[in-house]
Amino acid sequence: MGDATESLMHSCNDLALNASYYLKAGAHFVTIIKANCIDLTVSAEAVFAQEVKKLQAEQFKPAKQITLEHACVVGGYCMPKKHKAAT
């Protein structure tokens, strides 16, 4: 595997590590997921879902996903919890 492919395989992990150092809580992110560089043995949709779950496990809150050949995911990092209004 080439360096670019290996780098893409770990892009969600790298995004999480960089976010922990450089993003403030509540910041927003954009990332590209190239399914064919991560796992050719399953469908692209399955790869996108798996990578989004990884992001969620690292405190990212994906808000939108645009899927063409690759997936572009936009959302927030360490988003504050919404409080219910007292009634």
Side-chain angles (χ1 to χ4, degrees):
M1 247 184 262
D3 291 338
T5 302
E6 285 185 33
S7 179
L8 286 168
M9 287 177 57
H10 303 291
S11 63
C12 288
N13 297 334
D14 292 344
L15 178 62
L17 180 62
N18 286 330
S20 70
Y21 288 116
Y22 301 111
L23 290 183
K24 293 180 181 180
H28 291 84
F29 72 94
V30 176
T31 188
I32 303 297
I33 301 168
K34 292 182 72 175
N36 61 347
C37 292
I38 296 172
D39 190 345
L40 292 171
T41 64
V42 297
S43 70
E45 293 80 14
V47 173
F48 298 149
Q50 174 185 357
E51 294 300 299
V52 167
K53 284 183 183 179
K54 286 181 186 177
L55 290 172
Q56 291 169 329
E58 294 291 343
Q59 301 185 49
F60 288 91
K61 185 177 180 182
K64 294 189 185 262
Q65 177 176 320
I66 301 167
T67 305
L68 298 170
E69 184 178 331
H70 311 302
C72 177
V73 182
V74 178
Y77 173 67
C78 289
M79 300 304 290
K81 302 277 188 219
K82 291 184 180 180
H83 298 286
K84 292 184 179 181
T87 55

